[in-house]
Amino acid sequence: MDRNNIKHWLKNPAKMAHKYSLTVTYFCTGCGIIEIPPTITARWDAERFGVTPGASPRHANLFLITGYVSLKTLKAIIRSYEQMPDPKFVVAFGSCPINGGMYWDSYNTIKSLDKYIPVDGWIAGCMPRPETIFIGVTHLWTLIDKEMADGYKKYKKNYKFYRKNQEMLYGKLDWEPFYPIGGDNE
Amino acid sequence: MRETILNFGPQHLGMVGNFSITLSVDGDKVIKAIASPGYLHRGFEKLMENRTWAQNFPLVCRINVIEPDSMEMVYAMGVEKLGKIEVPERAQFIRSIYLELARVASHLFGAWAYANMLGFDTVAQWAMYHRDLILDLFEELTGARVYHIYINPGGVRRDFPKGFKEKIIKTLHTIGGCIPDYNDTFFDNRIFYKRAQNVGKLSRESALLYGAVGQVIRAVGIPYDIRKVEPYAAYDKVDFGIPVRDGGDALSRILIVRDEMIESVHMIFKLLDMMPEGEVWNRPPNPFKWNIPQGEAYVRVESARGELGLYMVSNGTDKPYRVHFRTPSFNHGLYILEKVLEGENIADVGNIMMSLYVVAPEIDR
Amino acid sequence: MNKKLIDEIITTFKNTKCQMIENKRLIINTKKDIIHPLLKYLKDKEFTRLALISCVDWINDNEFEIIYILTSYLLEHEKSEINVIVKTRIARDKPQIKSIIPIFENAEFYEREICEMFGVHFEGHPRLISLFLEIKYDIPPFRKDFILREFCENTFDKIPPVGDEK
């Protein structure tokens, strides 16, 4: 914990502020959502780690993908993710976004989430316990410190490829590209 | 009159689960609601056709995340009926106790969601904590908090551990002791009455016409409960009441949830006293060579939300030929919700949806 | 009561086979065009609730089997246990059957699901549009000739991972 280390704070106050007040987009993407209420209520109390649910993706900086992602949900996830302001972090909760998990041969769930949006951290398990969210969050802190949680930068840089993958799945997408395609998005 | 189209969900604070409704609104009034499910569709019934009978057990409980146990039960009942497998007496009692604990846990989750939606944050925190106490019991019994895979064909996976009965009694006393607090802060609260009374009203005739089950039909004064009309597990050996109200609105439905919770707690105490000794599992043969005889079955149980049915066809191989779940939320969350929402306020949409006890993964499957 | 009911059904409707299992499930096999009068008849006989509409793909017979499950709201133990399972077979090449919304209102979404998953067309259905699925599948996914692994390999596994290099 570098809360007491004021020098460290002053080096990059904005980064520290992002790190210790992770606001989660309120989006129940799958069955992992069942472990979120225990996490945010009195027994486990995620607010100890600065994690709170936020009403709108425009006010959030952490996207917790809770569980399997069906094709219809992925569209909503991409839209919500693009609405979130930078810097934004994505943590996938549960086995299903990693490789499909239980639904590895399902026709309506995607198998690897990081082909469509960048993911900074993975929490494996079905169902992961609430404690794992805290372990995931503390790991995310380390990544933010080392500037390794750079998924949003990757999304900007490689947007062409992400968009191509999304279009391979859905055919033509019914919204405009988020970043200009073709130019160098550095 | 100016009609506006409003997309409600899936990313919305007032939405329970991953579900979306397209509302045509005039000012604050809903003129027409169109439910659009499918955000959680995984094609379970197709997946199950491609897995063996034993492999389907871990899969089937994942259909409904809030109460996976009734899903396990209905699948085990279907397999037992097709394969003609006997279940020991003690296992029937353990199943009933386990299902009732799951019902209490599910209703507490429902109370959390409903209280949270109306702004009763204190009650929501209590309900979630009390649900967690029951999950601790499940964890000790089965090893997992949410998905237990405990009920297997021919019985249950393991017997109660030592001292488990006392733990159940202690936990239920803790929860039951807080019911007066729940009543004072929530169920008898005037704010709750103002928010829920005469909201989402469904008349007796239309409830019968739409084929409602569970709390929705019991809220119009019909004590229809599968545990009574077609008893399974050990429900025919125990005496229990079915709470009924005749308001037909959100208030009646939520009060029935509370009454059912109390009734379930009483029932668990009775079942614990009556429990016989003996075996708990007639183990099925080698699961890799386990063929179920040809045939079809329709089995049903009373889940926390109403009648849960399973239509199952076997063609004599090691995999089911076709399974189809009749989930209560499918009818409640699509047809009845669309009908009930007409003429209500936008602010009450989530309220009504939760009072109908709609669980999105159960609709989509 | 059960015996009388079975006799009445067999005499009233031609080409109908009835079978009672354990006094709980009444299975009726019938022809496609008798479905409407039969369901109306059963609805008058206290089986007022439609529990489920299902479909089974019998690919070897080249037929779909449509299944209607009806129950009652009766509370007396002996009567309430009975579930009527009405079954009919239709051709698999151009599957078509009359919608039963005029008899049971809440059939709407069950029929939509069957239409989407099996490609069975219900005549007279007011909105037979997509319910669950987002993308178009060449073969409706619940048909037996839809192979899951093949589809996943062709769709999801073909999408390349996004790398930093390039």
Side-chain angles (χ1 to χ4, degrees):
Chain A
M1 287 281 193
D2 41 18
R3 275 178 199 180
N4 304 325
N5 191 350
I6 193 81
K7 263 191 203 158
H8 198 88
W9 264 98
L10 288 174
K11 232 189 251 170
N12 194 343
K15 192 165 92 182
M16 290 301 116
H18 280 301
K19 185 174 153 189
Y20 289 126
S21 58
L22 292 167
T23 308
V24 184
T25 309
Y26 187 96
F27 188 10
C28 329
T29 54
C31 57
I33 197 67
I34 198 89
E35 288 292 30
I36 305 305
T39 314
I40 57 173
T41 50
R43 195 172 184 196
W44 271 285
D45 194 10
E47 211 151 341
R48 289 178 296 157
F49 295 82
V51 177
T52 47
S56 161
R58 291 184 197 281
H59 301 162
N61 59 352
L62 175 62
F63 202 156
L64 207 56
I65 309 283
T66 48
Y68 54 88
V69 179
S70 74
L71 291 175
K72 213 170 181 178
T73 308
L74 181 64
K75 255 188 187 176
I77 285 178
I78 295 166
R79 300 304 301 273
S80 302
Y81 178 73
E82 288 179 353
Q83 283 173 25
M84 284 164 65
D86 285 352
K88 50 196 170 187
F89 315 108
V90 179
V91 173
F93 179 77
S95 300
C96 307
I98 301 175
N99 58 1
M102 280 256 134
Y103 315 111
W104 60 274
D105 59 348
S106 166
Y107 56 84
N108 205 42
T109 59
I110 57 150
K111 310 301 171 233
S112 322
L113 184 65
D114 59 352
K115 287 178 183 173
Y116 312 99
I117 58 168
V119 181
D120 294 309
W122 308 90
I123 301 171
C126 183
M127 177 77 61
R129 293 175 58 86
E131 292 96 321
T132 57
I133 294 180
F134 304 140
I135 297 173
V137 164
T138 41
H139 276 288
L140 187 63
W141 286 352
T142 325
L143 291 180
I144 293 171
D145 255 353
K146 293 178 181 166
E147 307 238 335
M148 280 162 74
D150 55 353
Y152 61 98
K153 286 179 193 159
K154 249 190 235 166
Y155 193 63
K156 195 172 176 185
K157 195 177 154 200
N158 297 328
Y159 183 69
K160 200 162 67 181
F161 301 106
Y162 283 112
R163 177 90 181 178
K164 206 178 118 206
N165 280 0
Q166 292 161 11
E167 275 174 350
M168 265 174 94
L169 200 57
Y170 292 113
K172 204 166 159 27
L173 292 172
D174 47 4
W175 64 87
E176 293 292 303
F178 188 64
Y179 294 114
I181 292 179
D184 194 11
N185 295 330
E186 280 298 336
Chain B
M1 196 186 92
R2 219 177 111 225
E3 204 177 305
T4 317
I5 303 289
L6 187 71
N7 279 321
F8 197 79
Q11 200 279 315
H12 192 278
L13 260 191
M15 182 51 72
V16 242
N18 201 344
F19 188 73
S20 134
I21 312 172
T22 311
L23 302 167
S24 308
V25 292
D26 174 25
D28 222 5
K29 274 240 160 355
V30 176
I31 303 164
K32 193 168 165 44
I34 295 168
S36 63
Y39 290 94
L40 298 168
H41 181 68
R42 292 146 276 172
F44 265 108
E45 287 143 8
K46 182 78 182 176
L47 295 183
M48 285 170 75
E49 288 167 13
N50 288 285
R51 285 161 168 75
T52 61
W53 294 96
Q55 278 177 333
N56 277 332
F57 269 92
L59 198 63
V60 75
C61 57
R62 283 169 170 81
I63 292 177
N64 183 352
V65 62
I66 293 177
E67 198 205 8
D69 316 281
S70 54
M71 288 286 172
E72 292 170 20
M73 182 69 192
V74 76
Y75 183 67
M77 271 170 70
V79 173
E80 279 154 16
K81 184 149 268 179
L82 285 174
K84 303 195 173 52
I85 303 167
E86 292 289 318
V87 182
E89 178 88 8
R90 185 178 168 84
Q92 299 280 29
F93 276 83
I94 292 179
R95 281 179 176 189
S96 284
I97 293 166
Y98 171 76
L99 287 172
E100 289 310 307
L101 281 173
R103 189 183 311 275
V104 176
S106 169
H107 282 342
L108 283 168
F109 193 89
W112 173 81
Y114 197 75
N116 215 357
M117 194 157 308
L118 295 190
F120 290 89
D121 280 349
T122 320
V123 184
Q125 300 267 348
W126 291 348
M128 198 36 74
Y129 175 65
H130 286 145
R131 175 177 172 271
D132 247 73
L133 294 181
I134 296 178
L135 293 194
D136 285 354
L137 289 178
F138 284 149
E139 202 176 355
E140 184 171 347
L141 182 62
T142 66
R145 270 164 62 82
V146 180
Y147 294 135
H148 314 122
I149 319 166
Y150 180 62
I151 297 177
N152 272 25
V156 292
R157 205 144 47 84
R158 58 159 87 142
D159 205 345
F160 279 176
K162 213 174 160 193
F164 191 65
K165 193 176 155 184
E166 287 72 33
K167 267 185 195 159
I168 294 180
I169 292 172
K170 198 175 152 225
T171 307
L172 291 182
H173 274 301
T174 313
I175 296 168
C178 292
I179 297 260
D181 295 343
Y182 277 100
N183 284 345
D184 286 347
T185 42
F186 185 52
F187 291 115
D188 293 343
N189 194 330
R190 265 192 65 193
I191 302 169
F192 167 60
Y193 268 67
K194 292 254 174 196
R195 279 302 301 274
Q197 209 159 24
N198 290 327
V199 165
K201 217 162 159 63
L202 194 67
S203 69
R204 192 187 160 102
E205 292 73 38
S206 42
L208 288 172
L209 197 64
Y210 301 159
V213 288
Q215 284 86 18
V216 185
I217 196 76
R218 293 200 277 277
V220 295
I222 299 167
Y224 186 80
D225 191 315
I226 306 294
R227 288 175 293 173
K228 281 276 188 208
V229 302
E230 194 184 333
Y232 54 96
Y235 289 118
D236 49 347
K237 301 185 184 73
V238 69
D239 177 43
F240 61 97
I242 296 168
V244 170
R245 278 169 198 268
D246 44 13
D249 49 2
L251 177 76
S252 311
R253 294 196 278 268
I254 294 300
L255 290 181
I256 283 178
V257 166
R258 175 197 60 176
D259 297 347
E260 262 181 26
M261 225 164 6
I262 298 169
E263 198 60 52
S264 289
V265 170
H266 287 306
M267 203 200 301
I268 293 169
F269 286 144
K270 282 180 204 163
L271 285 164
L272 281 172
D273 286 341
M274 289 157 66
M275 222 158 73
E277 292 296 318
E279 280 290 305
V280 294
W281 193 11
N282 286 334
R283 273 171 181 276
N286 183 353
F288 296 107
K289 294 172 193 161
W290 189 23
N291 291 359
I292 299 282
Q294 204 166 0
E296 59 179 322
Y298 180 68
V299 285
R300 46 186 189 159
V301 300
E302 180 78 15
S303 77
R305 291 155 304 281
E307 180 193 320
L308 171 68
L310 168 61
Y311 181 74
M312 197 185 242
V313 181
S314 165
N315 61 348
T317 56
D318 57 344
K319 289 168 187 155
Y321 192 75
R322 166 87 167 121
V323 282
H324 193 161
F325 286 92
R326 182 248 182 267
T327 48
S329 295
F330 189 88
N331 196 15
H332 289 174
L334 298 176
Y335 193 70
I336 296 181
L337 187 74
E338 279 188 2
K339 292 274 172 192
V340 168
L341 281 183
E342 278 170 27
E344 299 285 344
N345 276 338
I346 298 174
D348 286 329
V349 171
N351 178 353
I352 290 166
M353 200 176 147
M354 202 53 232
S355 82
L356 286 171
Y357 221 145
V358 176
V359 178
E362 217 184 54
I363 300 175
D364 299 344
R365 306 193 299 280
Chain C
M1 180 248 170
N2 298 339
K3 194 105 184 62
K4 218 179 116 198
L5 184 75
I6 292 174
D7 288 343
E8 252 184 76
I9 290 171
I10 290 175
T11 47
T12 323
F13 300 99
K14 279 173 192 165
N15 290 329
T16 306
K17 273 184 226 152
C18 280
Q19 189 194 356
M20 192 69 151
I21 299 175
E22 295 169 8
N23 274 334
K24 280 182 188 167
R25 304 285 181 261
L26 175 62
I27 297 174
I28 305 175
N29 280 297
T30 186
K31 286 268 167 345
K32 182 176 152 187
D33 42 342
I34 305 180
I35 287 290
H36 261 245
L38 179 63
L39 291 182
K40 243 179 226 153
Y41 170 85
L42 287 167
K43 197 182 178 185
D44 294 338
K45 287 274 177 211
E46 294 159 345
F47 296 105
T48 51
R49 180 160 71 88
L50 176 76
L52 181 68
I53 300 179
S54 184
C55 181
V56 183
D57 181 7
W58 296 102
I59 189 161
N60 292 338
D61 305 347
N62 207 17
E63 275 171 333
F64 283 124
E65 192 170 47
I66 308 281
I67 292 135
Y68 303 89
I69 301 179
L70 311 181
T71 43
S72 60
Y73 273 120
L74 298 173
L75 299 169
E76 301 105 273
H77 191 23
E78 279 183 0
K79 280 185 190 170
S80 63
E81 277 190 341
I82 302 175
N83 282 21
V84 185
I85 302 174
V86 180
K87 303 204 286 190
T88 185
R89 292 221 175 184
I90 54 174
R92 200 164 174 282
D93 304 329
K94 212 182 168 197
Q96 250 187 3
I97 194 163
K98 248 172 131 186
S99 167
I100 62 155
I101 293 175
I103 308 169
F104 292 104
E105 273 191 37
N106 60 335
E108 187 186 329
F109 283 95
Y110 293 114
E111 288 183 348
R112 263 175 82 180
E113 193 196 347
I114 301 289
C115 173
E116 186 167 41
M117 297 305 175
F118 287 93
V120 177
H121 183 75
F122 287 88
E123 293 161 49
H125 194 289
R127 47 167 178 169
L128 213 52
I129 48 171
S130 151
L131 185 66
F132 290 146
L133 303 178
E134 177 70 31
I135 59 172
K136 278 264 171 280
Y137 298 89
D138 296 336
I139 305 169
F142 273 28
R143 289 194 184 187
K144 286 278 173 188
D145 47 0
F146 182 92
I147 313 292
L148 282 179
R149 291 180 80 161
E150 209 174 86
F151 178 81
C152 290
E153 273 166 22
N154 290 340
T155 315
F156 302 111
D157 298 353
K158 267 194 181 166
I159 293 172
V162 178
D164 274 302
E165 65 281 342
K166 276 192 191 178

